Amino acid sequence: SGRNNLILGTSRAGRGIDPDHPALHGDKFYNFATPGSRPALDRHKLEAALAKNKVESVIFFVDFFPFNSFASLPENFVESFVDRLPTKDSALRSPAYLLQVLEDFSNYFWSYQSLWDSVKTMRQQREAETNKLHYTTLHDNGRWDVNYSPDRQTLQAFRQLEASYLNSNWFPAADPRFSLNEPEAAPNKAFAEFRKILEIAQSHDIELTLIMLPVHARLLENLDYAGLWQHFEAWKKRIVELNEAVAISAGSEPFNVWDFNGYYPMSIEMVAPDTKLHDLHWMYDSGHINKVAGDRILEIVFGQAEHSFGGKISAGNIDAWLLK
């Protein structure tokens, strides 16, 4: 498709960040953010892209929750995803890729489950035609829209997402604990993978921009209630410290890091029992900005709008930034 530059991150970037925004100066970005993505997956995506093309720019929307030492994607999901990202050879000449294709065809075309899935799909198509089912629209540039029902209960949606963060995103159901594994403890795999991304970007002369997207103040309050505020601040400090440590090792300048979390007009929109989605200017729910907010953030980061909120963070200003 000729889109050699990447947008990486979780669903928050996948839904809210437009690769074709004019602020990106036509640099042919592809939104490769995926729901629940961990730094290991983002590294695999970057390596796969580099194996095919020269990557000049990457915007990595780095998220807090994937750095929990006790959280991980299912192992078979990771392996399956990586099998579809051949990095050293043409996909058609990769034995692993061809075996995966054969396995997929065997599983999906010759099974009872496939027949049942087909029946469900036909039923859901009828539901979609009558607006009973809400599909996701995937655009050619990788960004997606969620087609919400006009009668969606906005406050309920906010509460459901907040509950999911408390019950799974921050505290995995299988092991409901949270830790960033500070340096005196065992190494944190997510931070190790994040460092690898920085090192790859430095060694390949990639212009990497790191951005922490905002969440609604409701979710910030839940994060504090859950006892995670100090971890949230420690995570930001580790991000900027790793960024500058890798830059020193490479004999280069650190990458820009932007933080848009805080109690800004974008994140304190009132959500009441009668609030409809069209009443909200910036957010879909507590954790996901919409494209309007994503556009504004890109304009700020890339110099097309004033810094009305958010700002650059570094090892030199992080303590003052957190205090503010």
Side-chain angles (χ1 to χ4, degrees):
S1 67
R3 293 178 176 271
N4 299 341
N5 299 321
L6 299 180
I7 289 169
L8 300 175
T10 64
S11 62
R12 302 204 296 121
R15 293 164 64 176
I17 303 301
D18 181 8
D20 293 324
H21 191 283
L24 300 181
H25 307 297
D27 284 339
K28 298 181 179 178
F29 278 86
Y30 181 78
N31 192 329
F32 209 176
T34 49
S37 187
R38 267 58 176 176
L41 286 179
D42 289 307
R43 175 178 62 83
H44 284 303
K45 298 173 201 172
L46 177 56
E47 290 177 337
L50 283 167
K52 297 295 181 182
N53 304 288
K54 177 175 174 56
V55 178
E56 296 179 346
S57 299
V58 173
I59 310 173
F60 186 12
F61 292 87
V62 59
D63 244 324
F64 171 60
F65 73 87
F67 287 81
N68 181 3
S69 301
F70 299 106
S72 62
L73 291 168
E75 191 63 31
N76 61 342
F77 176 88
V78 177
E79 292 175 354
S80 176
F81 189 91
V82 173
D83 285 343
R84 288 160 173 77
L85 292 174
T87 58
K88 296 181 180 178
D89 202 351
S90 166
L92 296 179
R93 293 198 298 271
S94 168
Y97 183 84
L98 293 174
L99 287 172
Q100 186 67 51
V101 171
L102 179 60
E103 180 183 341
D104 290 347
F105 269 78
S106 299
N107 289 339
Y108 297 123
F109 287 93
W110 302 333
S111 70
Y112 168 79
Q113 187 62 45
S114 292
L115 176 61
W116 179 236
D117 285 345
S118 299
V119 172
K120 288 196 294 183
T121 297
M122 293 175 66
R123 290 177 178 174
Q124 290 173 347
Q125 285 173 341
R126 288 196 294 270
E127 292 175 0
E129 291 170 358
T130 57
N131 294 322
K132 294 180 180 179
L133 189 70
H134 317 134
Y135 275 105
T136 296
T137 300
L138 177 64
H139 302 284
D140 290 340
N141 61 16
R143 192 183 73 82
W144 69 87
D145 285 315
V146 179
N147 304 319
Y148 292 116
S149 169
D151 58 356
R152 177 178 185 250
Q153 300 299 307
T154 302
L155 180 58
Q156 180 181 353
F158 271 66
R159 287 173 171 167
Q160 287 174 343
L161 185 130
E162 291 151 17
S164 74
Y165 268 87
L166 288 167
N167 296 322
S168 59
N169 291 42
W170 291 330
F171 303 106
D175 192 355
R177 294 182 289 170
F178 189 98
S179 173
L180 294 177
N181 275 356
E182 297 302 329
E184 63 269 22
N188 182 302
K189 293 181 180 179
F191 281 117
E193 292 289 349
F194 175 73
R195 181 175 190 127
K196 290 178 183 178
I197 292 173
L198 297 175
E199 292 171 342
I200 291 170
Q202 289 284 7
S203 63
H204 286 80
D205 197 26
I206 294 172
E207 182 183 356
L208 177 64
T209 304
L210 300 163
I211 300 175
M212 301 170 181
L213 287 174
V215 297
H216 196 275
R218 292 175 56 100
L219 196 57
L220 291 178
E221 291 296 305
N222 273 272
L223 185 143
D224 185 40
Y225 167 77
L228 295 179
W229 196 270
Q230 64 180 358
H231 294 283
F232 191 41
E233 293 190 337
W235 169 73
K236 294 182 184 183
K237 296 181 77 168
R238 292 279 298 280
I239 292 294
V240 297
E241 288 167 358
L242 278 172
N243 181 39
E244 301 201 13
V246 170
I248 291 172
S249 297
S252 182
E253 292 295 317
F255 299 116
N256 287 333
V257 185
W258 289 79
D259 180 17
F260 288 94
N261 287 281
Y263 292 78
Y264 303 112
M266 180 180 289
S267 63
I268 61 172
E269 285 186 292
M270 179 62 69
V271 184
D274 60 347
T275 300
K276 300 298 182 183
L277 183 61
H278 60 76
D279 296 326
L280 298 177
H281 189 63
W282 304 108
M283 311 289 290
Y284 288 120
D285 51 43
S286 292
H288 295 89
I289 60 170
N290 60 24
K291 182 180 175 298
V292 175
D295 288 349
R296 177 65 58 83
I297 288 168
L298 290 177
E299 289 161 5
I300 292 173
V301 169
F302 295 101
Q304 291 193 354
E306 294 183 3
H307 296 179
S308 54
F309 74 109
K312 288 184 184 179
I313 58 175
S314 66
N317 75 352
I318 185 63
D319 289 328
W321 177 260
L322 295 176
L323 182 61
K324 178 182 176 181

